[in-house]
Amino acid sequence: MSGLSWENIESIRGPLATKVELHEEVSSTQERARELARAGAPHGTLVISKVQTGGRGRLGRRWDSPAGGLWMSLVLRPGISTRVAPRMTQTTAVGVAKALRGFGVEARIKWPNDLLVDGRKICGMLAESSVESVPVAAKPVGPGAERPVDFVVLGVGLNANVDPQDLGVPDREVATLRSELGRDVDLLELLESLLSHLDAELGRIENFGAILGEWRALNCTLGERVRVRRLGEVLEGVALDLGPEGELLLKTHDGVIELFEGEIEQLRQARI
Ligand code: BTN
């Protein structure tokens, strides 16, 4: 692998690389980062592995992680509440999309936070929050009560210097930086750019309206006719817009439905 400089990973510094753990191979950086977070690892602890043998995607899916990809998880202690935590996914998507664009790849965001190039997935993200255990007497009352988030483990799986056919999914469904650019990129440079964009976006998470404005400009879902699978039901409609917390407003025969989660499949072009 030419031009790659993992050897210099110690040179990485910044608020999202306060401690860096680089593995040759690990089951899942997400699990390793969670282990470190539970043991008290500080904000910005970064876990990277050249290969993951048990990489995990959303909904318990497998995430193939051969050598050449950027497989990483961050321990974040962003000082946010459970009300703000769901914003992490779209905020991350905006940061990573900007980093990819800096490398010449026209990545677009599919709701809520997959990154696609011409409809093929190039990057997946996973934000998993852990809520602080509050002393019983101090516990807020009610199921929807806001609580402080102790840490978030933010995983990013970016198909970088790999061939699509090495990713265990049909070629037409995946893209890689190598397949898009026709060359390999320096993973350390990619990582630095990604961390700096992520830090900038996460730093303004309280100003979510601005982030959603950028999300809208970078997305490929709004205006499209889509099928959404969520919690065992299947809905069809037109993706109209986002609500103030990033929820998808889906126009169906029964009216407009707000979706906070779900898997989207794009059907055909729609006019709204
Ligand atoms: C998705 O399903 O789109 C999310 C994929 C997230 C994959 C990354 S790779 C680094 C980190 N470790 C894992 O096991 N998963 C995440």
Side-chain angles (χ1 to χ4, degrees), residues 26-31 47 49 52 54-65 70-73 113-115 121 123-128 153-158 263:
V26 81
S27 170
S28 159
T29 57
Q30 200 73 1
E31 302 316 320
V47 181
S49 188
Q52 292 185 116
R56 184 161 70 65
R58 284 175 68 208
L59 307 172
R61 294 189 188 123
R62 200 180 77 190
W63 184 267
D64 280 296
S65 318
L70 183 57
W71 322 124
M72 53 163 270
S73 298
N113 69 338
D114 283 343
L115 288 184
K121 184 157 166 174
C123 179
M125 290 154 251
L126 208 55
E128 298 175 316
V153 175
L154 183 63
V156 177
L158 179 44
E263 281 287 294

Side-chain angles (χ1 to χ4, degrees), residues 247-267:
E247 63 276 29
L248 184 67
L249 306 180
L250 184 73
K251 185 181 172 198
T252 70
H253 287 306
D254 302 324
V256 177
I257 299 179
E258 288 183 347
L259 298 172
F260 286 88
E261 67 210 328
E263 281 287 294
I264 282 218
E265 181 193 335
Q266 196 170 303
L267 298 172

